[in-house]
């Protein structure tokens, strides 16, 4: 219990069992009272006699209305005052430190100045830093006398000099302004000339853009974005900077990718002799080229280099077709003794030009076809890029090889094969016509151009441009049909199909008189085999024609009365050996042998008795005998002569 109650309830007395607290002896000290006064009333500056008297009167009147809010505000204001006092104290300390530093600097300055006169005394007041870095007596002083007053003449001269300097300065400033204005005018003219040429380049259709690594420099893009990944270096080289020269004109800066103008040259070589070449632009005779000409020349150079790059890649996969790439020249065979040479040459060198011949036309056609096919390949690449890409796989996609040489090679092979076949049939027809035997060969090339024009008129679906469709049509395998009418009036059809090699298909009607000896269709890949087979069927046709002659009758009189034919005489009968016929004479008991020999450019007949007794005969028609004005004996007359019993 803290307290014990004694006496009655009305007179309760409370006694504490704890010790009575003693008064703090320091609470009545002067510092303690000053701190309590500062905490209650604030600083002594705010305490006046009038405020104390007013507070005493208020306490006596019982008007004590000190509120908690006022106490809180006073506490906050007291805290703010303490912070202000602390900040002011720090500022005073800084200022005192600064004043001390400046006074030390002044002391060092005066000490160093006096060190020249009294070094020992001055050294005592120097700072250690000054003693280490400044030698004694390095700073001195001297008293200058005041100059004497100037005379009126000297004052006037000085005014004139000052005025001259002022006028000279104004004149120099005026000259500088005039020079700046002149330079600014020249700069404006150069800038106007530069932008005028840039606008001219843009109006010509060239794409103007900023350089990727020089955002403040304009460039022109003249490359081809449709090149394959294998020709990425040509895409990167298709951008050049348009820099301003000293006179304001444009200079084309191609950087490290600059190369001399080049072009693809096509030549035709026959028996190691150049007989034709394509035309190349001669830049050596051109005048000073403009910016547009330089851009066009750079564009053409990149195009030609990419073209040669692509046909070099394609030539590697055409080795089985006879295409060779020794060094920097591509060799394309067109016939046994003729080659087409393709190379890349610089235009700034003098190159020999061949005379205008038919081979020049061939070279020009091939060069033009190469460029058209590369443009077609660019369009095909652009069309593939515009389509949804295939699924992503781990396998690396192969870089496609453009078909540029293959269509040209197919056309050359087809033309050479057709020309060889035509020459062979012409050489074969001359001796047959000289012998009055019918032989007709007509050739027709199957073309899809008519079908293309019809489909373009009738198809309502969206189709590729006509130019692309035309190139695609001309790039398809070629086909030609040759109809041959044999001496026996039998007609056979020969089809030539060329796609990296020519195949031949010869068909004969099943109702012909040679159907028993000939299959309905024969296929060949070798021209020599085809020629041998044509000679074979011509021989069979002539043999069947001779076998159809009546005995002792000629083709001019096939309806000779049988009563006039010798007794027991029969006609020619084909034997098992190709090209041989026999004829029996019953009255003699002997037989004759007739041999038909058909070759390229000749037709021959040989006859004689099989037993070797009697005279033998022979007759031959040659190719030159079929020329106009030269006509030898008819074939029927020779057969009639061979069939006599004499």
């Amino acid at each position: 219990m803290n307290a014990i109650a004694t006496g009655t309830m009305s007179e309760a007395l409370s006694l504490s069992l704890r010790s009575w607290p003693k008064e703090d002896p320091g609470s009545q000290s002067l510092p303690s009272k000053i701190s309590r006064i500062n905490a209650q009333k604030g600083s002594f500056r705010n305490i006046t006699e009038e405020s104390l008297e007013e507070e005493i009167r208020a306490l006596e009147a019982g008007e004590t209305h000190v509120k908690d809010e006022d106490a809180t505000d006073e506490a906050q204001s007291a805290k703010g005052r303490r912070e202000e006092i602390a900040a002011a104290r720090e500022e005073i300390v800084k200022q005192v430190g600064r004043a001390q530093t400046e006074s030390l600097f002044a002391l060092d300055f005066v000490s160093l100045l006096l060190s020249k006169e009294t070094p020992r005394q001055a050294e005592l007041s120097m700072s250690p830093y000054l003693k280490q870095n400044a030698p004694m007596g390095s700073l001195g002083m001297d008293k200058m006398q005041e100059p004497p007053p100037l005379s009126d003449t000297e004052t006037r001269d000085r005014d004139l000099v000052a005025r001259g300097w002022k006028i000279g300065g104004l004149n120099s400033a005026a000259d500088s302004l005039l020079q700046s204005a002149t330079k600014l005018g020249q700069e404006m003219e150069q800038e106007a000339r530069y932008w005028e040429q840039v606008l001219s380049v843009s109006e010509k259709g060239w794409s103007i853009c900023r350089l990727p690594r020089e955002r403040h420099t304009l460039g022109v893009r003249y490359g081809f974005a449709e090149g394959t990944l294998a020709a990425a270096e040509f895409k990167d080289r298709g951008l050049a900077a348009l820099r301003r020269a000293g006179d304001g004109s444009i200079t084309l800066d191609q950087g490290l990718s600059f190369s001399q103008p080049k072009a693809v040259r096509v030549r035709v070589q026959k028996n190691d002799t150049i007989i034709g070449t394509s035309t190349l632009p001669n830049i050596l005779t051109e005048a000073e080229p403009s910016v547009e000409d330089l851009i066009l020349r750079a564009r053409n150079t990149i195009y030609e280099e990419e073209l040669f790059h692509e046909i070099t890649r394609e030539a590697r996969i055409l080795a089985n077709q006879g295409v060779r790439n020794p060094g920097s020249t591509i060799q394309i065979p067109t016939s046994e003794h003729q080659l087409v040479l393709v190379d890349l040459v610089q235009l700034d060198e003098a190159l020999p030009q061949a005379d205008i011949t038919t081979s020049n036309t061939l070279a020009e056609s091939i060069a033009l076809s190469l460029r058209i096919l590369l443009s077609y390949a660019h369009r095909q690449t652009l069309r593939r890029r515009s389509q949804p890409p295939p699924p992503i796989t781990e396998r690396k996609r192969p870089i496609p090889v453009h078909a540029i040489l293959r269509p040209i090679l197919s056309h050359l092979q087809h033309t050479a094969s057709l020309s060889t076949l035509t020459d062979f049939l012409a050489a074969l027809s001359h001796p047959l016509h000289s012998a009055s035997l019918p032989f007709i060969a007509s050739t027709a090339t199957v073309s899809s151009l008519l079908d293309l024009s019809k489909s373009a008129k009738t198809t309502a679906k969206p189709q590729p441009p006509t130019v692309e469709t035309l190139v695609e049509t001309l790039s398809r395998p070629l086909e030609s049909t040759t109809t041959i009418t044999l001496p026996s009036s039998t007609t056979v059809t020969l089809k030539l199909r060329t796609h990296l090699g020519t195949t031949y298909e010869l068909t004969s009607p099943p109702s012909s008189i040679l159907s028993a000896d000939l299959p309905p269709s024969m296929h060949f890949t070798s021209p020599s085999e085809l020629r041998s087979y044509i000679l074979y069927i011509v021989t069979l046709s002539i043999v069947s024609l001779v076998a159809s002659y009546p005995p002792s009758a000629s083709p001019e009189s096939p309806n000779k009365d049988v009563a006039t034919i010798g007794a027991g005489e029969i006609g020619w009968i084909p034997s098992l050996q190709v090209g041989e016929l026999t004829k029996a004479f019953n009255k003699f008991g002997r037989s004759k042998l007739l041999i038909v020999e058909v070759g390229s450019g000749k037709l021959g007949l040989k006859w004689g008795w099989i037993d070797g007794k009697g005279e033998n005969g022979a007759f031959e028609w040659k190719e030159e005998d079929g020329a106009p004005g030269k006509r030898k004996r008819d074939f029927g007359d020779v057969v009639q002569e061979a069939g006599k019993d004499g």
Side-chain angles (χ1 to χ4, degrees), residues 226-229 310 313 374 376-390 397-403 468:
E226 295 79 15
T228 59
L229 295 177
E310 292 295 336
R313 293 180 60 218
L374 179 59
Y376 173 72
H378 283 174
R379 293 198 179 188
Q380 293 297 105
T381 303
L382 180 61
R383 181 170 289 108
R384 284 195 299 267
R385 286 196 314 173
S386 60
Q387 295 176 354
R397 297 178 188 173
I399 300 175
V401 178
H402 294 318
E468 297 184 25

Side-chain angles (χ1 to χ4, degrees), residues 176-482:
S176 299
L177 290 175
L178 291 176
Q179 292 177 1
S180 300
T182 304
K183 185 177 180 180
L184 180 59
Q186 295 175 356
E187 188 72 18
M188 291 175 60
E189 292 178 0
Q190 296 174 3
E191 195 74 13
R193 187 180 301 112
Y194 172 79
W195 287 108
E196 182 180 356
Q197 294 187 6
V198 170
L199 181 60
S200 175
V201 171
S202 178
E203 289 177 349
K204 293 295 180 59
W206 300 105
S207 176
I208 304 297
C209 61
R210 294 180 182 269
L211 295 183
R213 297 176 180 85
E214 299 181 38
R215 303 300 297 174
H216 61 282
T217 305
L218 290 180
V220 57
R221 188 177 299 278
Y222 52 83
F224 302 91
E226 295 79 15
T228 59
L229 295 177
E233 62 271 17
F234 301 108
K235 294 190 293 184
D236 297 337
R237 289 172 50 192
L239 182 63
L242 297 176
R243 304 193 185 277
R244 197 184 73 178
D247 58 349
S249 60
I250 289 180
T251 59
L252 191 66
D253 184 10
Q254 296 178 256
L256 298 177
S257 62
F258 172 75
S259 61
Q260 297 295 333
K262 299 177 183 178
V264 172
R265 178 179 61 177
V266 179
R267 293 174 294 169
V268 180
Q269 177 180 335
K270 187 174 184 179
N271 295 327
D272 298 333
T273 303
I274 301 298
I275 61 174
T277 181
S278 59
T279 304
L280 298 176
N282 190 2
I283 65 173
L284 298 178
T285 59
E286 294 181 358
E288 187 68 21
S290 61
V291 180
E292 291 84 357
D293 296 336
L294 292 177
I295 296 174
L296 183 62
R297 187 180 298 175
R299 194 278 307 270
N300 293 341
T301 298
I302 288 184
Y303 187 84
E304 298 293 319
E305 290 181 353
E306 182 182 356
L307 173 61
F308 190 73
H309 175 80
E310 292 295 336
I311 62 179
T312 302
R313 293 180 60 218
E314 189 179 7
R316 299 169 187 167
I317 64 175
L318 295 178
N320 60 343
Q321 300 297 324
V323 180
R324 297 291 181 266
N325 187 14
S328 59
T329 303
I330 299 175
Q331 299 178 356
I332 306 173
T334 59
S335 63
E336 185 177 356
H337 304 287
Q338 183 169 305
L339 293 174
V340 173
L341 308 179
V342 183
D343 57 354
L344 186 67
V345 296
Q346 292 188 3
L347 299 179
D348 55 353
E349 299 177 357
L351 300 174
Q353 296 288 341
D355 297 333
I356 299 177
T357 61
T358 305
S359 298
N360 271 11
T361 304
L362 175 61
E364 288 285 354
S365 302
I366 295 176
L368 181 60
S369 300
L370 289 173
R371 295 176 175 90
I372 291 177
L373 289 172
L374 179 59
S375 299
Y376 173 72
H378 283 174
R379 293 198 179 188
Q380 293 297 105
T381 303
L382 180 61
R383 181 170 289 108
R384 284 195 299 267
R385 286 196 314 173
S386 60
Q387 295 176 354
I392 299 176
T393 59
E394 296 181 356
R395 186 180 304 173
K396 186 178 180 180
R397 297 178 188 173
I399 300 175
V401 178
H402 294 318
I404 300 177
L405 286 180
R406 280 167 281 183
I408 297 177
L409 184 60
S410 297
H411 276 268
L412 293 176
Q413 290 177 347
H414 189 81
T415 302
S417 301
L418 190 60
S419 177
T420 302
L421 177 63
T422 303
D423 295 341
F424 170 74
L425 294 178
L428 180 61
S429 65
H430 290 161
L432 295 178
H433 292 166
S434 178
S436 300
L437 291 178
F439 185 83
I440 302 174
S442 59
T443 303
T445 301
V446 177
S447 176
S448 303
L449 295 180
L450 296 177
D451 299 337
L452 175 64
S453 61
K454 293 179 181 178
S455 62
K457 294 179 181 179
T458 57
T459 304
K461 298 181 180 179
Q463 297 291 332
T466 307
V467 177
E468 297 184 25
T469 309
L470 176 61
V471 176
E472 182 181 359
T473 303
L474 296 178
S475 301
R476 295 173 182 172
L478 302 175
E479 180 178 324
S480 297
T481 303
T482 301

Side-chain angles (χ1 to χ4, degrees), residues 407-580:
I408 297 177
L409 184 60
S410 297
H411 276 268
L412 293 176
Q413 290 177 347
H414 189 81
T415 302
S417 301
L418 190 60
S419 177
T420 302
L421 177 63
T422 303
D423 295 341
F424 170 74
L425 294 178
L428 180 61
S429 65
H430 290 161
L432 295 178
H433 292 166
S434 178
S436 300
L437 291 178
F439 185 83
I440 302 174
S442 59
T443 303
T445 301
V446 177
S447 176
S448 303
L449 295 180
L450 296 177
D451 299 337
L452 175 64
S453 61
K454 293 179 181 178
S455 62
K457 294 179 181 179
T458 57
T459 304
K461 298 181 180 179
Q463 297 291 332
T466 307
V467 177
E468 297 184 25
T469 309
L470 176 61
V471 176
E472 182 181 359
T473 303
L474 296 178
S475 301
R476 295 173 182 172
L478 302 175
E479 180 178 324
S480 297
T481 303
T482 301
T483 304
I484 303 174
T485 302
L486 301 175
S488 61
S489 300
T490 301
T491 301
V492 295
T493 302
L494 177 62
K495 290 185 178 181
L496 286 75
R497 296 185 181 91
T498 304
H499 181 64
L500 298 181
T502 303
T503 59
Y504 307 89
E505 181 184 4
L506 194 146
T507 58
S508 58
S511 60
S512 65
I513 60 176
L514 301 178
S515 59
D517 300 322
L518 296 178
S521 177
M522 287 289 292
H523 295 269
F524 305 93
T525 57
S526 173
S528 58
E529 295 179 357
L530 175 66
R531 290 193 293 267
S532 300
Y533 190 75
I534 291 177
L535 295 176
Y536 169 73
I537 62 175
V538 171
T539 302
L540 291 180
S541 176
I542 294 176
V543 168
S544 64
L545 178 64
V546 173
S548 65
Y549 289 166
S552 301
S554 65
E556 287 78 6
S557 57
N559 297 324
K560 186 176 180 180
D561 190 0
V562 180
T564 61
I565 300 176
E569 184 181 355
I570 60 177
W572 293 99
I573 301 175
S575 64
L576 297 178
Q577 188 70 24
V578 177
E580 294 184 359

